[in-house]
């Protein structure tokens, strides 16, 4: 990519094995994360220079963070600055590596003798490791983390914060697992880190996610692994071996660019019986667009013009685009049942319930003749969510938004409860 105008760098805040963090005087509350060409294994017991790795790692990280942000995951990532650096919100880092595993392999097998390689965790297995090179990053329990009584950027890390990081780790893993599945790759496990944004005081996904962060097995085959484990497994570091490692990093860097691409596509078509229902339908459209699902609005009455209703139905059946129909009709709902009886596509009733006759009108959406399978959701947001869930079965980007929305709803409740408890105390 073409680099942005040069950013004046302040002091170096920290330097790790593979990156440097610089203060940005012209962007208060932000830092520059500069990747290095160094590759390491075993807490730097083995380390080598791999020319071009900085650009490959940075490109992978930026692509992954953009995907997660688009889904709705809170991250420190702001923007890519150059081939080898990105701008991020300044955070005080929680010194824990959160590891999420789908398949048992690697160090897990050594720590858990008797578990066969390939054992599949459902739900994913979560582990914590305290970042301490001198002690070889020992495994910690959540209780140890809670008892450490850490405080970062003024935020005490207690039960609430630990639960948020735990839930977020699993959600992040599942989103990326689905994304990699579209490329025929199994995301075996991965590690992430969190920090406290010094400006907002909230916990966000931070650090980097690159080919050092996960195990990737194309077609679920360990012998084809494309991650840094290939470097760890080298019996001898030779120029030829390092070129093989670099080719793997290049393969991942190219494939990760395809993850934000939707391979399914689809749309919601909202049929309203009258323009008086426009406000109700507009809410459905707005919610659909929030999930990345296009939504079209049409006006037709199954009672007054059934032939036109069926013509509109055929119009959308005939172009091959996966479609969910949402029927919006007050009083006696003929739209939903007529559509459901004449199409194999999903139909959702979402009647605008009125305060006077609503209790009676709703039965025209609930009591269906045999052979009809349309569902009924009263809330416009709920109807859009249900449609998105249908598309999410085949579209990983829609599924990612749904999964992130679940996480964010849970987090908001957790924080609300924490605030209430603090007020009570």
């Amino acid at each position: 990519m073409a680099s942005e105008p040069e950013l004046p760098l302040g002091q170096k805040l920290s330097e790790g094995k593979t990156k440097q963090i610089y203060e940005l005087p012209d962007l208060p509350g932000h830092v520059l994360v500069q990747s290095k060409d160094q590759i390491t294994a075993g807490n730097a017991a083995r380390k080598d220079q791999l020319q071009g790795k900085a650009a490959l790692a940075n490109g992978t990280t930026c692509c992954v963070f953009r995907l997660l942000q688009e889904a709705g995951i809170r991250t420190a990532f702001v923007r890519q600055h150059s081939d080898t650096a990105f701008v991020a919100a300044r955070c005080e880092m929680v010194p824990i590596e959160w590891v999420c595993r789908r398949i048992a392999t690697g160090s897990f097998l050594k720590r858990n003798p008797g578990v066969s390689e390939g054992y599949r965790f459902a739900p994913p297995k979560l582990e914590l490791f305290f970042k301490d090179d001198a002690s070889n990053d020992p495994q910690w329990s959540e209780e140890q983390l809670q008892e450490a009584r850490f405080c970062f950027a003024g935020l005490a890390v207690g039960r609430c914060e630990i639960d948020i990081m735990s839930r977020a780790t699993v959600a992040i893993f599942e989103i990326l697992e689905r994304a990699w599945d579209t490329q025929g790759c199994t995301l075996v496990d991965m590690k992430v880190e969190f920090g406290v944004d010094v400006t907002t005081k909230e916990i966000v996904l931070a650090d980097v996610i690159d080919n050092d962060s996960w195990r990737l097995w194309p077609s679920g085959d360990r012998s084809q692994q494309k991650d840094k484990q290939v470097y760890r497994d080298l019996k001898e570091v030779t120029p030829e071996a390092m070129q093989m490692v670099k080719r793997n990093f290049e393969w991942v860097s190219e494939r990760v660019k395809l993850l934000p691409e939707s391979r399914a596509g689809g749309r919601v078509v909202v049929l309203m019986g009258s323009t008086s229902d426009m406000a109700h339908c507009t809410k459905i459209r707005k919610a659909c667009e929030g999930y990345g699902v296009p939504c079209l609005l049409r006006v037709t009455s199954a009672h007054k013009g059934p032939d036109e209703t069926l013509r509109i139905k055929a119009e959308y059946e005939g172009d091959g685009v996966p479609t969910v129909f949402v029927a919006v009709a007050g009083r006696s709902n003929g739209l939903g049942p007529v559509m459901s009886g004449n199409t194999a596509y999903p139909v959702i009733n979402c009647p605008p319930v009125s305060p006077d006759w609503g209790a009676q009108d709703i039965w025209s959406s609930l009591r269906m003749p045999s052979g009809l399978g349309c569902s009924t959701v009263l809330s416009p947001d709920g109807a859009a969510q249900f449609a998105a869930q249908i598309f999410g079965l085949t579209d990983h980007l829609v599924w990612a938004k749904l999964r992130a929305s679940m996480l964010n709803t849970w987090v908001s409740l957790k924080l609300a409860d924490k605030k209430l408890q603090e007020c009570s105390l």
Side-chain angles (χ1 to χ4, degrees):
M1 65 168 288
S3 296
E4 293 187 358
E6 199 62 36
L7 285 172
L9 299 182
Q11 70 178 97
K12 183 192 294 185
L13 299 174
S14 65
E15 180 168 5
K17 296 184 283 288
T18 60
K19 61 186 177 294
Q20 301 166 318
I21 312 294
Y22 290 96
E23 190 177 32
L24 294 175
D26 291 351
L27 290 174
H30 294 82
V31 296
L32 187 75
V33 182
Q34 176 69 55
S35 293
K36 297 157 63 174
D37 277 341
Q38 183 166 269
I39 184 170
T40 69
N43 277 331
R46 166 183 285 177
K47 58 183 177 181
D48 292 279
Q49 291 298 304
L50 184 62
Q51 187 175 4
K53 176 183 177 289
L56 296 171
N58 185 65
T60 298
T61 287
C62 292
C63 211
V64 170
F65 275 131
R66 281 192 289 262
L67 171 65
L68 292 172
Q69 279 190 333
E70 181 63 25
I73 299 294
R74 293 179 174 87
T75 82
F77 178 80
V78 175
R79 67 176 183 273
Q80 185 169 356
H81 173 67
S82 68
D83 288 339
T84 60
F86 68 90
V87 177
R90 183 171 180 175
C91 296
E92 290 190 14
M93 298 298 296
V94 180
I96 295 290
E97 285 187 349
W98 298 79
V99 176
C100 195
R101 304 181 187 276
R102 177 65 77 186
I103 296 173
T105 190
S107 66
F108 182 87
L109 301 180
K110 297 177 182 178
R111 288 179 284 104
N112 296 272
V115 178
S116 302
E117 182 167 39
Y119 181 92
R120 187 174 181 84
F121 300 110
K125 183 77 170 178
L126 185 66
E127 296 181 306
L128 288 68
F129 296 88
F130 178 58
K131 289 174 65 67
D132 180 5
D133 288 348
S135 301
N136 202 29
D137 295 348
Q139 185 174 4
W140 269 25
S141 66
E142 292 187 356
E143 291 75 17
Q144 283 175 290
L145 178 54
Q146 185 172 354
E147 285 299 303
R149 304 186 189 281
F150 287 130
C151 184
F152 302 103
L155 179 68
V157 177
R159 184 73 258 170
C160 175
E161 291 70 31
I162 293 169
D163 289 345
I164 288 173
M165 289 184 280
S166 173
R167 287 272 183 146
T169 299
V170 175
I172 290 161
F173 176 86
E174 290 178 342
I175 289 171
L176 294 177
E177 179 184 39
R178 286 236 174 184
W180 274 114
D181 187 62
T182 66
Q183 301 303 310
C185 260
T186 298
L187 181 60
V188 175
D189 53 39
M190 70 176 296
K191 62 181 180 181
V192 297
E193 295 183 35
F194 295 90
V196 179
D197 187 317
V198 299
T199 302
T200 65
K201 311 302 181 184
E202 68 173 341
I203 291 176
V204 294
L205 176 67
D207 195 55
V208 300
I209 298 179
D210 57 25
N211 210 29
D212 291 11
S213 307
W214 50 37
R215 283 186 176 92
L216 281 176
W217 295 355
S219 303
D221 184 355
R222 180 183 175 182
S223 67
Q224 299 182 47
Q225 59 190 356
K226 297 294 185 182
D227 51 85
K228 195 178 77 170
Q229 189 63 38
V230 174
Y231 174 72
R232 296 188 187 101
D233 292 343
L234 290 178
K235 294 181 179 179
E236 182 181 1
V237 177
T238 65
E240 294 76 20
M242 292 301 289
Q243 281 304 306
M244 177 183 67
V245 171
K246 184 176 182 180
R247 285 195 297 271
N248 285 344
F249 274 69
E250 290 171 340
W251 186 92
V252 170
S253 179
E254 288 303 312
R255 288 299 181 96
V256 80
K257 296 174 185 176
L258 303 177
L259 300 188
E261 296 181 4
S262 173
R263 291 192 164 191
R267 67 188 167 207
V268 169
V269 176
V270 178
L271 305 176
M272 67 186 90
S274 165
T275 53
S276 62
D277 301 325
M278 182 63 73
H280 191 80
C281 295
T282 300
K283 293 178 182 177
I284 298 174
R285 180 171 61 187
K286 181 179 179 180
C288 283
E289 291 171 348
Y291 292 115
V293 178
C295 182
L296 306 173
L297 307 183
R298 300 293 298 267
V299 180
T300 184
S301 170
H303 286 126
K304 303 171 185 176
D307 55 338
E308 178 63 9
T309 298
L310 295 180
R311 187 200 68 76
I312 291 174
K313 171 197 72 75
E315 176 184 336
Y316 293 108
E317 288 177 321
D319 62 6
V321 178
T323 302
V324 172
F325 292 104
V326 177
V328 176
R331 298 185 181 180
S332 177
N333 175 19
L335 266 176
V338 168
M339 288 293 294
S340 183
N342 289 275
T343 184
Y345 286 4
V347 177
I348 303 170
N349 292 316
C350 187
V353 180
S354 64
D356 43 8
W357 288 93
Q360 290 74 34
D361 294 342
I362 192 64
W363 289 105
S364 63
S365 295
L366 296 176
R367 292 275 291 172
M368 294 289 113
S370 61
L372 302 189
C374 49
S375 60
T376 297
V377 182
L378 299 184
S379 160
D381 289 344
Q385 181 177 347
F386 187 26
Q389 288 170 333
I390 294 172
F391 290 121
L393 295 172
T394 54
D395 189 326
H396 69 286
L397 299 182
V398 175
W399 190 92
K401 289 178 181 290
L402 289 162
R403 185 65 181 87
S405 177
M406 285 173 51
L407 171 67
N408 292 335
T409 298
W410 186 91
V411 169
S412 67
L413 290 170
K414 190 76 175 177
L415 292 174
D417 181 62
K418 177 188 176 184
K419 184 176 181 180
L420 178 61
Q421 295 304 310
E422 290 173 343
C423 291
S424 299
L425 293 175

